[in-house]
Each structure stands twice: as C-alpha cells, then as structure tokens.
C-alpha cells in the first residue's frame, strides 16, 4: 500500500482550478441571463410599440425622423433599466442587512455599493439597452402614417 499525502501545494492547485471552473460557470450563467434580459426587453418593447402605433404614426407625420425615434426608444428603455437597477441595489442592500449570515464577502462600501460595480452595471445597462432596442427601432422605421390613419 502506498500512502498518498496531500501537500499544501496540491490542495492550493486544486482550489485554484476549482475556483477557475466555478468562475467560468458563473460567467456562462451571467451571459445566459444577459441574453434572456435582452430578448425579454426587446419583446416587451416591440409589443408596447405595436400598441402605440397611432402615436408613432402621428409623430412621423409631424416630422420625426429615424434619429428622433432611436433617441426616443433608447431613452425610454434606458430610464426603465436605470429604475430597475436602482431597485436591484435597494433590494441587495436590504437583504444584505436583513440576512448578514448569507453574505460570503463584505461589501467594500457602507451602502453595499462598490463604485466599480456601479460603473460596470451602468455600462451593462447601456449595452443591454442598445441590444434590445434594435428590433423595436426597426419596427418604428417602417411605420407608415398613412396606413395607420386608414386603419383607424
């Protein structure tokens, strides 16, 4: 029988490899969540804009161009995403104070918000916003005010 000894070096290497694997799994799950958010937001915007077809037809009849529609769609969606982001931070802060035993690491700031994390989340919100606005924006570009007025 050979005795197998676990040296601190091998256990550190195993921990490091398992940490890398865990980080890769979380990165993949994060990417899946971002794709789901983009598809969901785009679908919701598309349905919302189909219901507001008459409004957009009037705007187009009064001289709104494609750039104006893009700015309108982008800012409406960005406003909604920023409100959702603030709600997420508030819930995170409340839950971290209510259940401190579940927190694995302490937050670097007293409010539970790291400045770099906020910056990354805002950049991610803008990227999600740009990706989810493309399909509804294409719909708005093809709105014909004459056909809309004929339908109503």
């Amino acid at each position: 029988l050979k005795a197998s000894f676990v040296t601190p070096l091998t256990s550190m290497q195993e921990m490091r490899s398992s940490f890398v694997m865990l980080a890769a799994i979380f990165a993949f799950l994060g990417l899946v969540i971002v794709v789901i958010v983009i598809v969901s937001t785009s679908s919701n915007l598309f349905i919302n804009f189909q219901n507001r077809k008459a409004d957009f037809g009037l705007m187009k009849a009064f001289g709104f161009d494609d750039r104006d529609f893009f700015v309108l769609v982008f800012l409406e969606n960005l406003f909604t995403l920023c409100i959702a982001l603030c709600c997420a931070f508030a819930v995170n802060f409340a839950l971290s104070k209510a259940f401190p035993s579940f927190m694995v690491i302490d937050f670097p700031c007293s409010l539970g918000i790291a400045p770099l994390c906020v910056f990354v989340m805002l950049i991610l919100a803008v990227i999600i916003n740009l990706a989810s606005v493309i399909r509804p924006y294409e719909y708005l570009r093809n709105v014909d005010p004459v056909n809309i007025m004929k339908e109503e």
Side-chain angles (χ1 to χ4, degrees):
L1 290 173
K2 292 185 179 179
S4 64
F5 294 102
V6 177
T7 63
L9 183 61
T10 59
S11 63
M12 287 298 289
Q13 289 172 343
E14 290 172 2
M15 284 177 45
R16 185 172 288 134
S17 66
S18 63
F19 178 73
V20 169
M21 180 62 85
L22 189 63
I25 290 171
F26 280 133
F28 176 73
L29 289 176
L31 182 64
V32 168
I33 289 171
V34 166
V35 169
I36 290 171
V37 167
I38 289 171
V39 170
S40 172
T41 304
S42 179
S43 297
N44 286 336
L45 283 174
F46 187 72
I47 291 169
N48 182 20
F49 292 157
Q50 283 181 333
N51 294 335
R52 294 171 52 193
K53 191 188 312 186
D55 299 337
F56 293 126
L58 276 173
M59 288 180 200
K60 200 168 224 183
F62 283 126
F64 267 58
D65 60 357
D66 291 341
R67 183 177 169 273
D68 295 330
F69 279 123
F70 181 77
V71 169
L72 176 73
V73 171
F74 181 80
L75 291 179
E76 280 183 0
N77 196 34
L78 186 64
F79 181 71
T80 306
L81 284 173
C82 285
I83 289 174
L85 186 64
C86 290
C87 290
F89 278 125
V91 167
N92 180 25
F93 178 70
L95 289 178
S96 68
K97 295 302 178 190
F99 303 103
S101 61
F102 290 139
M103 302 308 294
V104 177
I105 58 171
D106 291 331
F107 288 114
C109 297
S110 60
L111 292 177
I113 302 170
L116 180 62
C117 181
V118 171
F119 179 72
V120 168
M121 292 299 287
L122 288 175
I123 295 298
L124 188 61
V126 170
I127 291 170
I128 289 172
N129 191 18
L130 282 173
S132 61
V133 162
I134 291 170
R135 184 171 152 226
Y137 171 69
E138 287 299 319
Y139 171 76
L140 289 178
R141 285 183 53 192
N142 299 325
V143 168
D144 185 18
V146 175
N147 289 338
I148 292 172
M149 297 307 163
K150 285 181 184 177
E151 290 175 8
E152 293 193 22

